[in-house]
Amino acid sequence: MSACVPTRATDSHQNRTKRAPQPHSPPPSPPRRFRIAGADVSASIAVFLIALPLSLGIALATGAPLQAGLVAAAAGGLVAGRLGGCPLQVSGPAAGLTVVTADLIHRYGWRTTCAVTVLAGVAQLALGCLRVARTALAVSPAIVHGMLAGIGVTIAVAQLHIVLGGTPQSSVLANLRALPAQLADVHPADVAMSVLTLALLLLWPRVPGRLGHLMRKIPAALVAVAGATLTASLTGLSLAKVDLPSWSSHALAGLPEGPALGIAAAVLTTTLVCSVQSLLGAVAVDKLVAGQPGLSARVGRSNLNRELLGQGAANIVSGTLGGLPVAGVAVRSSANVQAGAVSRNSTMLHGVLVVVAALLMVPVLELIPLASLAALVMAVGIQMVSLNHIRTVTRHREVLVYVVTTLGVVFLGVLEGVLLGVTVAVAVALNRLAHTRITHDEKEGVHHVHVRGQLTFLAVPRLSRTLHLVPQGTHVVVELDGSFMDHAAYESLQDWQNSHTARGGTAELTGRRTGVRDTGPDHTGIETALAITATGTTIGAASGTTTEAPASTTVDAPTGEPTTSTVCRCHPWTPWRNHQCDHRRSTPAGGHPAEQTDQPTDRPAPDTAEPSSPGTGPHPGTGTHTGAGPNPGPDTGTHPGTGTPTGTGTPRSGTSTSTSTAGSQLARGISAFQRDTAPLVRGELARLAKEGQRPSQLFLTCADSRLVTSMITSSGPGDLFVVRNVGNLVPPPGEERGDDSVAAAIEYAVDVLRVRSITVCGHSGCGAMQALLNSEPGVAQTPLKRWLRHGVPSLERMADDGRPWARLAGRAPADAVEQLCLTNVVQQLEHLRGHESVARALREGALELHGMYFHVGEAQAYLLTEADGGGLFDGVGVADMSA
């Protein structure tokens, strides 16, 4: 069987599917007709039911004609939905624009407000053409959250008057001054409908049990408004209700009338709020989509510049037709994703439904009490003051920026509040950069100089004064606790260190890493940069290519030469064999350290199927591979700084093996953990020890030492329940033959831990797959070969001409090994479905299965999408973590 597999693997999948047509073959089939997925239809209905009452409520809150909300919702759905760069984001009239629009209507009138909306759309088109969408996201999250909170307070205070049966004033201060009089003149019918709306809005999502799960499929906003409307109609209460004039009298945009400077400021404000809210909404939608692997492979990441163009076009259309300004709406977008939308068709279909409702449902819409819409919008305004946002800015020490921005928006206006917030944010950043605390104390004859904060030229005078207070000939420990050091501070610190050691003292710098520039004829390894690493941040402080060096450099006073001169070129995830900084050799600067023999090679090491390299080889001293190759054998790698093999063998002459044992490497690694990492994770591990593990995912992958599961999944303690074996194999039920470890782990994860998903992860260059391809019948059955029999179905699947091949998006598999690695993931998922606990959880909808492929050389992850019987592995892009 294996003899025919490599022959077939030389042909790509495209070559198999794109064969030359026969001379008399029938004509090709016509192109597929446009089709809308059922998931998009159901999602569009859910979004429409949310958008309809909210659009009317936001129009009411701004003082605009109520039809304007429907026009904006339709333009946002059809235009932004078709042209925008975020397929699943739903655009329309947003609560964040309520204050801006209400102020424009109060100052310039409705027709000029529509003209401002059109001009803002033109400005968005210009920004999109200039491709500056990413720049707009540079605004501090504290300013954005503060702006939204200020808008929310303004909305809530204004709508409170309508809830009580009155009319809102033009500003927050005026509304607050008029509130006592309004409370003395309460309209019971309006208050009753508002309370009913708020009660339904609050309680509907909290109905427990299976009934509650079914009820939550209907949006709470629709239930709240419909309930209040039905109650008002049945009781015959005298209430102000929605009034939708004839479309023939609907006001369209006119030429702007007013001072040019005021109009320009209005356009700038509208453009800023619309753009920032839409771009942040697109980023939030990307995060929601990333949580659904199958959806992320189909939808892809948002194109923010195209999204800006789509929003601009929607604003031009909405303003021209007499609609409100348009922006991405978080509530509708999240509902769209959660309802199962798979393309932009759901957004566009929601716009079509809004148009139908605006034309055919006017009699029904005119039964809605205005008090109910006001209560709905007031609830939205209150939710804009997010406690999670407040906790976030508090944790990042940006409360001052948040509070100033919020108060500025409330009392001065949106543009003024944002500008005030930007000013305070810049001032806070400058203060943090300039504020440095330097202390000096003595403990048991050792002088400690502690530097907290950023070490810049502004702190050099105080640093110099403090360092010169240290007596000559003493031992000094300088602790650097910050994330930045400029060249002036570096020079000052180095000059003092040289001077102190020349006078018989010793100096130790901790909490930093020294860097070196690429050496050349004029540079012999002179230190030119410092980087602070106490908090895990590494920032170079000088020009040139810098690489890291030991975290602590001690200078011997009598000789003035460093005792640890080895330059560190490692990162926290660097393998042991490359941690040159950990070899504490007391070699003088002018001495000759032992020969370095650990160089990459393209020649496979003995008894392995893969090349040996510093970054991918097994850990020295372990004696065996951990799943990386098909034939475990002695490790032939060498230890940095020595010529001694880490396995068995005879050391080369002139080298020492005293520091190249696996025990010393393990001890150094544990010591580094206890020193640097344990203090940071001790609290979280204590919580996990108390509460027990609650992982959300079972991650089954190969035992290959190059696969660091926590690194490639950005996970931490308690996130993944990991099972590793050679070849990431899942024995089918009944095939274990005395080895139930994988089946036991699956049962425990599904039935006891209640994991919500299981991922089978393969990788490139898998030694187990290479061994399967090279296996020959009749050879002795070793434990490894007996285990690999569970991979034979993958080999058979790849050789089956009746099945499509598993493949990568964008390119064909590099060789037969990669093809088998991909096929093996698909096959092991089939084995997984055969386990009773997995099958039961899948039937109940409590479990999801995912396939993953990790290309080691490219550091690229691919997720499996069930596009056909073979499966397509699509690359995962870089997630945008901003805001």
Side-chain angles (χ1 to χ4, degrees):
M1 180 187 301
S2 60
C4 65
V5 171
T7 303
R8 181 186 173 205
T10 58
D11 299 326
S12 67
H13 180 74
Q14 294 178 347
N15 291 336
R16 295 197 305 144
T17 57
K18 296 182 178 180
R19 293 191 174 99
Q22 298 298 323
H24 303 287
S25 60
S29 59
R32 293 172 56 185
R33 295 181 179 179
F34 174 75
R35 297 179 60 186
I36 299 179
D40 283 333
V41 175
S42 60
S44 67
I45 295 174
V47 174
F48 162 72
L49 296 177
I50 296 174
L52 188 64
L54 281 177
S55 299
L56 293 173
I58 292 172
L60 174 67
T62 60
L66 295 185
Q67 295 102 318
L70 301 177
V71 171
L78 292 171
V79 180
R82 179 64 184 89
L83 302 178
C86 183
L88 299 188
Q89 174 160 259
V90 182
S91 301
L97 295 163
T98 302
V99 177
V100 177
T101 309
D103 183 62
L104 290 177
I105 295 173
H106 176 73
R107 288 188 181 186
Y108 305 112
W110 173 241
R111 294 173 67 88
T112 298
T113 300
C114 293
V116 169
T117 302
V118 173
L119 293 175
V122 174
Q124 286 181 302
L125 287 180
L127 293 175
C129 292
L130 293 175
R131 307 184 67 82
V132 296
R134 290 281 173 188
T135 306
L137 296 178
V139 181
S140 168
I143 297 174
V144 176
H145 298 330
M147 178 189 74
L148 295 178
I151 292 173
V153 171
T154 305
I155 292 173
V157 173
Q159 296 309 296
L160 181 59
H161 284 269
I162 302 180
V163 166
L164 297 176
T167 303
Q169 305 300 315
S170 60
S171 67
V172 176
L173 289 177
N175 282 319
L176 291 176
R177 284 195 295 265
L179 191 57
Q182 185 63 62
L183 290 173
D185 186 22
V186 172
H187 293 67
D190 292 289
V191 174
M193 290 301 99
S194 300
V195 170
L196 176 60
T197 301
L198 292 174
L200 289 174
L201 197 63
L202 180 66
L203 298 178
W204 186 262
R206 291 172 172 79
V207 177
R210 180 172 297 179
L211 178 62
H213 179 71
L214 296 175
M215 292 170 59
R216 281 192 290 274
K217 294 184 180 296
I218 306 176
L222 177 67
V223 173
V225 174
T229 302
L230 183 62
T231 302
S233 300
L234 293 178
T235 57
L237 294 176
S238 177
L239 294 165
K241 298 181 180 179
V242 169
D243 182 17
L244 293 175
S246 171
W247 285 103
S248 60
S249 61
H250 179 64
L252 305 179
L255 294 176
E257 299 178 359
L261 188 60
I263 297 296
V267 172
L268 176 62
T269 304
T270 305
T271 304
L272 172 67
V273 178
C274 287
S275 301
V276 171
Q277 183 166 344
S278 299
L279 294 176
L280 293 178
V283 173
V285 170
D286 280 348
K287 294 178 181 178
L288 291 175
V289 171
Q292 305 181 30
L295 183 61
S296 62
R298 181 168 183 174
V299 175
R301 290 184 60 210
S302 298
N303 183 332
L304 296 185
N305 290 302
R306 178 178 172 181
E307 180 64 18
L308 206 54
L309 293 172
Q311 295 293 332
N315 273 311
I316 292 175
V317 172
S318 179
T320 302
L321 298 179
L324 293 171
V326 171
V329 186
V331 174
R332 301 175 209 179
S333 301
S334 60
N336 193 34
V337 176
Q338 293 168 1
V342 295
S343 71
R344 62 177 72 246
N345 292 334
S346 64
T347 303
M348 297 172 61
L349 186 56
H350 129 269
V352 173
L353 294 176
V354 170
V355 173
V356 172
L359 297 177
L360 303 180
M361 294 179 59
V362 173
V364 177
L365 297 179
E366 289 184 334
L367 297 175
I368 301 175
L370 293 182
S372 178
L373 292 179
L376 175 64
V377 177
M378 185 179 72
V380 173
I382 294 173
Q383 291 173 353
M384 292 174 71
V385 186
S386 171
L387 292 179
N388 288 332
H389 292 165
I390 295 175
R391 294 190 191 100
T392 300
V393 298
T394 302
R395 186 166 59 249
H396 292 281
R397 298 183 299 166
E398 293 184 332
V399 176
L400 180 62
V401 179
Y402 179 87
V403 171
V404 169
T405 306
T406 301
L407 295 179
V409 171
V410 170
F411 294 108
L412 300 178
V414 174
L415 182 60
E416 294 84 353
V418 170
L419 292 177
L420 192 59
V422 170
T423 302
V424 175
V426 171
V428 169
L430 291 176
N431 178 69
R432 290 177 180 174
L433 186 62
H435 183 71
T436 307
R437 182 182 178 186
I438 304 175
T439 59
H440 168 234
D441 60 348
E442 180 184 359
K443 296 179 181 178
E444 300 178 356
V446 179
H447 292 262
H448 294 266
V449 177
H450 194 179
V451 181
R452 297 192 180 195
Q454 320 313 318
L455 199 51
T456 66
F457 67 95
L458 298 174
V460 167
R462 287 186 291 125
L463 175 65
S464 180
R465 284 195 299 269
T466 303
L467 292 175
H468 282 84
L469 293 177
V470 177
Q472 298 180 6
T474 58
H475 179 62
V476 185
V477 177
V478 180
E479 303 174 20
L480 305 177
D481 183 7
S483 60
F484 178 77
M485 176 190 294
D486 69 4
H487 191 70
Y490 170 80
E491 290 289 349
S492 176
L493 190 58
Q494 288 298 105
D495 290 344
W496 168 83
Q497 184 183 32
N498 294 335
S499 174
H500 185 74
T501 55
R503 289 175 172 80
T506 58
E508 182 178 352
L509 306 181
T510 63
R512 59 104 177 183
R513 300 217 189 271
T514 51
V516 297
R517 185 167 52 200
D518 287 345
T519 58
D522 300 325
H523 301 91
T524 56
I526 300 175
E527 294 179 349
T528 60
L530 287 176
I532 309 304
T533 59
T535 60
T537 308
T538 305
I539 302 178
S543 60
T545 303
T546 60
T547 52
E548 298 175 357
S552 177
T553 303
T554 305
V555 179
D556 183 74
T559 64
E561 295 181 341
T563 58
T564 56
S565 60
T566 304
V567 174
C568 176
R569 294 179 174 84
C570 59
H571 299 281
W573 58 84
T574 307
W576 282 343
R577 63 189 295 168
N578 284 355
H579 269 280
Q580 301 179 13
C581 62
D582 285 335
H583 309 300
R584 308 298 186 189
R585 293 173 294 172
S586 300
T587 304
H592 300 282
E595 178 187 0
Q596 298 276 347
T597 61
D598 189 18
Q599 299 296 333
T601 177
D602 294 330
R603 179 180 58 83
D607 298 325
T608 68
E610 304 168 54
S612 171
S613 68
T616 62
H619 292 173
T622 58
T624 59
H625 295 273
T626 57
N631 301 317
D635 187 354
T636 60
T638 57
H639 192 280
T642 71
T644 308
T646 56
T648 60
T650 305
R652 297 181 183 178
S653 60
T655 62
S656 171
T657 61
S658 60
T659 62
S660 62
T661 63
S664 62
Q665 292 168 335
L666 180 63
R668 278 195 297 270
I670 296 173
S671 176
F673 167 79
Q674 294 297 149
R675 179 184 67 248
D676 301 329
T677 308
L680 303 177
V681 301
R682 187 170 287 116
E684 177 66 11
L685 291 178
R687 182 187 67 80
L688 290 173
K690 180 180 179 181
E691 299 178 0
Q693 63 167 329
R694 298 176 184 176
S696 61
Q697 184 170 146
L698 167 60
F699 198 85
L700 196 151
T701 187
C702 185
D704 193 298
S705 60
R706 298 167 296 182
L707 263 66
V708 184
T709 56
S710 60
M711 183 175 71
I712 64 177
T713 60
S714 297
S715 57
D719 291 338
L720 302 181
F721 186 70
V722 182
V723 175
R724 306 187 68 150
N725 61 54
V726 175
N728 48 275
L729 300 177
V730 180
E735 296 291 332
E736 292 86 351
R737 297 183 187 176
D739 183 7
D740 292 327
S741 60
V742 176
I746 294 172
E747 180 182 348
Y748 183 77
V750 175
D751 292 342
V752 179
L753 298 178
R754 303 287 182 182
V755 296
R756 296 188 296 273
S757 67
I758 301 178
T759 299
V760 176
C761 177
H763 69 97
S764 62
C766 181
M769 299 300 102
Q770 179 69 60
L772 273 174
L773 285 173
N774 296 336
S775 61
E776 297 179 0
V779 298
Q781 290 296 305
T782 65
L784 177 62
K785 294 185 181 300
R786 285 196 297 270
W787 168 253
L788 290 181
R789 75 184 185 278
H790 301 303
V792 172
S794 302
L795 198 62
E796 295 172 347
R797 185 189 189 100
M798 190 176 77
D800 187 355
D801 289 325
R803 291 185 174 185
W805 276 3
R807 62 198 188 279
L808 294 171
R811 68 173 178 87
D815 51 25
V817 176
E818 185 169 53
Q819 180 65 68
L820 184 56
C821 291
L822 298 172
T823 305
N824 184 57
V825 173
V826 179
Q827 183 64 37
Q828 301 310 314
L829 285 173
E830 285 196 8
H831 292 178
L832 196 58
R833 294 185 182 94
H835 286 262
E836 180 182 355
S837 56
V838 174
R840 182 175 61 254
L842 289 174
R843 287 194 303 269
E844 296 173 354
L847 185 65
E848 295 179 350
L849 300 184
H850 303 292
M852 176 177 168
Y853 175 75
F854 186 76
H855 195 288
V856 177
E858 298 174 356
Q860 175 65 54
Y862 297 84
L863 288 176
L864 173 65
T865 59
E866 295 294 342
D868 51 40
L872 173 68
F873 288 83
D874 200 2
V876 179
V878 180
D880 194 328
M881 299 302 293
S882 59

